[in-house]
Amino acid sequence: MKRIKIDRSKCIGCLTCVTACIVSHESSDSRNRVTIDSKTKPAPIFCRHCDKPECVYTCMTGAMSKDRETGLVQYDKERCASCYMCIMACPYGVLKSDRIEYKEIMKCNMCVHRTENNEPKPMCVEKCPMGAITLEEA
């Protein structure tokens, strides 16, 4: 399974990845699925689509699930109870809640809507001007 990787030594904190995410998901209100780690300099962190995802195990409604075929952790907004247990359980801190009125969990979905030849084609990888974000075999 391929996962998004970030090389922090190449990242300049331009946040083009955030804009690419917004464009890819056609968010008219700037909602994005990229979490920014700003402890030292702004840099993206992405859902790792864990082998044993804590967010899936703590989700009582089944809104978070692991696709056995693709290996991706998926989110179903319609099943979500907005309890935010998945956010609390994620050891990497990559899940975030959308604005209160939406009550939606925002997480990287590897731009599954842009899949080509059965391969995900995340727009953040495609648009990163420094080549800091790559798609690699895990």
Side-chain angles (χ1 to χ4, degrees), residues 18 62-63 107 122:
V18 172
K107 67 171 288 307

Side-chain angles (χ1 to χ4, degrees), residues 53-89:
E54 293 296 323
C55 61
V56 171
Y57 297 130
T58 60
C59 181
M60 60 189 164
T61 64
M64 288 286 181
S65 63
K66 176 94 172 163
D67 185 309
R68 294 184 191 273
E69 189 175 315
T70 65
L72 299 178
V73 173
Q74 300 173 325
Y75 170 68
D76 181 352
K77 179 182 173 181
E78 302 305 315
R79 296 182 75 177
C80 184
S82 301
C83 68
Y84 305 128
M85 288 299 295
C86 56
I87 292 173
M88 292 183 273

